[in-house]
Amino acid sequence: THFEGWLRRLVDTLRTTDDPEAQACLAEARDLRQQAFAAYQAGDLELARQLLHQSFLKVLCAVVEVFPNAPERTGLAVDQAIERIENFLGDREAPRIRLILAHVKELRAQADEALAGGDKVTALALNLRSIQILHRLVEHVRDRHDDHDGVADREMEDAGV
């Protein structure tokens, strides 16, 4: 799909960048990931989760170094997706979908606030989370899952939880 091609190009670009700040962010991400693995092996799952989250943010730091407008572009993509979904819904009630859209709009407001404060990494992280939520919403509608609990249970089992 288009998204997979974009992601592949992003990873290739990050791997081959000569931007020293991006390279430093990626080196920190690797170190944090190794620390997370050590924490996991030691049985400290909470610390492992925290370190993995920090590692993810360092990867996003590299993305922002290489693509400085990534937060703005991902925010625009979310805004456009919300608009398309709302146009599709029209005046139908769809309370659960509208509740999800309200949550995504709140994430977008937080992202815009972070961006205004100069925190591009947080803005990008919030926009990516918004995209993930909208993607799940589309999957849900497209696949017409009637048994939400069953779907959630299967996803948790697939994740080993």
Side-chain angles (χ1 to χ4, degrees), residues 101-120:
L101 293 177
H103 175 62
V104 171
K105 287 178 182 180
E106 175 58 31
L107 291 174
R108 281 289 299 122
Q110 292 173 26
D112 285 344
E113 192 175 299
L115 193 57
D119 188 352
K120 287 188 164 201

Side-chain angles (χ1 to χ4, degrees), residues 40-142:
Y40 174 78
Q41 286 184 315
D44 193 341
L45 300 182
E46 183 57 33
L47 178 60
R49 270 191 286 277
Q50 290 172 3
L51 291 168
L52 282 175
H53 179 73
Q54 291 173 15
S55 175
F56 173 70
L57 292 177
K58 288 297 178 181
V59 171
L60 294 185
C61 168
V63 170
V64 169
E65 282 300 322
V66 176
F67 301 102
N69 64 346
E72 293 89 344
R73 291 187 67 187
T74 54
L76 180 61
V78 172
D79 293 342
Q80 290 172 341
I82 290 171
E83 184 179 346
R84 284 194 308 268
I85 292 168
E86 288 179 335
N87 286 340
F88 173 77
L89 290 175
D91 60 355
R92 287 178 267 188
E93 286 189 30
R96 290 183 292 176
I97 292 174
R98 293 195 189 278
L99 186 63
I100 292 168
L101 293 177
H103 175 62
V104 171
K105 287 178 182 180
E106 175 58 31
L107 291 174
R108 281 289 299 122
Q110 292 173 26
D112 285 344
E113 192 175 299
L115 193 57
D119 188 352
K120 287 188 164 201
V121 171
T122 298
L124 180 57
L126 289 165
N127 287 336
L128 292 175
R129 179 67 178 142
S130 296
I131 290 171
Q132 180 185 25
I133 291 168
L134 292 174
H135 180 70
R136 285 286 192 198
L137 175 62
V138 168
E139 283 180 341
H140 171 75
V141 171
R142 182 191 62 222

